[in-house]
């Protein structure tokens, strides 16, 4: 019965999200299919007349979205798995060390979460500039080596801590090393957490605008947010070109969200192997 109630609430939550976000997405798509060069319509049109894909062609040509998409994919493919891996390892380690040490690390993580990200821009820039890594994609990937955010580590810590203590005792009896216990037992049992953090990390990495703006100067290294910024400077009659670029940038995030949502709704809590 509790499982049915939990599944019902998850389904209602997904339906609410769809109800809130689907109408703006439909308007975004319809706007991107409007013929560029025409005066903006005074009222939104769900089906524009005439229907045109010229906006997508111009967005790829003028904004360099293809190259920018490849750069964003490269950053996401490296940063997202690395971030989740580091955060899960750190969170699991917090459940295995002494309680006093755990309390100190958790308190330090909470303090770190209170520090505004903008306060770290200058020291981070100075470090990357000293290392000669500015105008590369390395500064966009490097935060993943620290789990991207202390929040991810704390979420994994709470998830691993919620697992039964007898489970860890059984792993000790079976003479499993901490690394094998994390990989074969603990991590499979927190798959919904992994799915949620993976989706969150991907969306934040994919839509990251501030870091590329600070560290990347070469147009060939632009990510999608920077490329979209150049399209946003077009005149109002070419606004469909910008909307087409926004659609291209939004689709991958929607796909990742859908995959993560499926894991939430149909997760299996049995450990592997």
């Amino acid at each position: 019965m509790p499982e049915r109630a939990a599944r019902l609430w998850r389904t209602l939550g997904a339906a609410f999200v769809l109800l809130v976000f689907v109408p703006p997405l439909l308007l975004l798509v319809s706007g991107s299919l409007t013929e560029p060069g025409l005066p903006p319509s005074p009222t939104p049109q769900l089906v524009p007349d005439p229907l045109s894909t010229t906006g997508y062609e111009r967005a790829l040509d003028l904004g360099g979205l293809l190259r920018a998409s490849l750069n964003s994919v490269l950053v996401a493919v490296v940063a997202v798995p690395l971030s989740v891996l580091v955060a899960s390892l750190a969170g699991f380690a917090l459940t295995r060390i002494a309680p006093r040490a755990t309390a100190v690390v958790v308190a330090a993580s909470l303090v770190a979460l209170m520090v505004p990200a903008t306060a770290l821009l200058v020291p981070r820039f100075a470090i990357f500039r000293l290392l000669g890594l500015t105008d590369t994609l390395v500064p966009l990937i490097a935060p993943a080596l620290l789990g991207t955010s202390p929040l991810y580590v704390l979420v994994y810590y709470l998830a691993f801590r919620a697992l039964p203590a007898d489970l860890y005792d059984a792993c000790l009896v079976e003479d499993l090393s901490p690394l094998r216990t994390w990989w074969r037992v603990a991590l499979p049992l927190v798959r919904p957490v992994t799915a949620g953090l993976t989706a969150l990390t991907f969306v934040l990495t994919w839509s990251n605008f501030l870091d590329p703006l600070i560290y990347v100067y070469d147009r060939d290294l632009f990510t999608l947010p920077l490329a979209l910024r150049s399209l946003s400077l077009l005149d109002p009659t070419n606004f469909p070109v910008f909307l087409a670029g926004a659609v291209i940038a939004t689709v991958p995030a929607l796909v990742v969200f859908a995959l993560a949502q499926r894991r939430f709704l149909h997760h299996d809590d049995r450990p592997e192997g």
Side-chain angles (χ1 to χ4, degrees):
M1 192 67 180
E3 177 63 26
R4 288 184 179 179
R7 180 165 297 183
L8 176 61
W9 279 111
R10 288 195 296 267
T11 304
L12 291 176
F16 175 76
V17 170
L18 290 175
L19 186 63
V20 170
F21 287 100
V22 165
L25 288 174
L26 290 177
L27 291 176
L28 176 64
V29 173
S30 66
S32 69
L33 294 174
T34 303
E35 179 70 29
L38 298 178
S41 174
T43 57
Q45 295 180 341
L46 189 60
V47 181
D49 185 24
L51 203 64
S52 174
T53 58
T54 306
Y56 289 89
E57 299 172 5
R58 293 188 183 178
L60 293 173
D61 184 36
L62 296 176
L65 292 189
L66 184 58
R67 183 61 179 267
S69 298
L70 292 177
N71 292 334
S72 290
V73 168
L74 175 61
V75 172
V77 165
V78 177
V80 173
L82 184 60
S83 178
V84 173
L85 181 67
V86 172
S88 64
L89 280 169
F92 182 75
L94 285 177
T95 64
R96 302 291 89 198
I97 61 178
R100 280 189 180 180
T102 299
V104 171
V105 174
V106 170
S109 299
L110 292 175
V111 171
L113 285 174
M114 299 178 188
V115 178
T118 52
L120 303 176
L121 291 180
V122 173
R124 285 177 58 190
F125 179 81
I127 292 173
F128 286 125
R129 185 176 182 180
L130 181 64
L131 296 175
L133 296 176
T134 54
D135 203 19
T136 69
L137 297 179
V138 174
L140 311 184
I141 300 173
L145 296 172
L146 302 176
T148 299
S149 170
L151 175 64
Y152 300 169
V153 177
L154 293 177
V155 170
Y156 264 118
Y157 164 66
L158 294 175
F160 289 134
R161 186 184 180 188
L163 297 179
D166 294 341
L167 185 65
Y168 294 123
D169 294 338
C171 292
L172 290 175
V173 172
E174 292 294 329
D175 199 25
L176 291 179
S177 66
L179 190 60
R180 293 180 66 188
T181 300
W182 163 76
W183 178 253
R184 296 184 57 185
V185 179
L187 197 59
L189 290 175
V190 295
R191 287 175 183 167
V193 173
T194 300
L197 289 183
T198 299
L200 178 61
T201 307
F202 177 84
V203 171
L204 293 178
T205 302
W206 188 260
S207 61
N208 187 5
F209 172 75
L210 187 58
D211 286 345
L213 182 65
I214 294 173
Y215 298 115
V216 178
Y217 320 125
D218 187 353
R219 188 174 182 84
D220 289 338
L221 296 177
F222 276 13
T223 55
L224 264 177
L226 286 183
L228 285 178
R229 178 176 177 269
S230 63
L231 291 179
S232 67
L233 301 177
L234 296 174
D235 59 90
T237 60
N238 284 313
F239 203 60
V241 179
F242 170 70
L243 294 181
V247 171
I248 295 174
T250 303
V251 167
L254 290 178
V255 172
V256 171
F257 174 80
L259 293 175
Q261 187 63 33
R262 182 177 181 182
R263 171 59 63 183
F264 279 128
L265 296 178
H266 305 288
H267 70 276
D268 184 358
D269 290 334
R270 291 173 298 180
E272 291 180 343

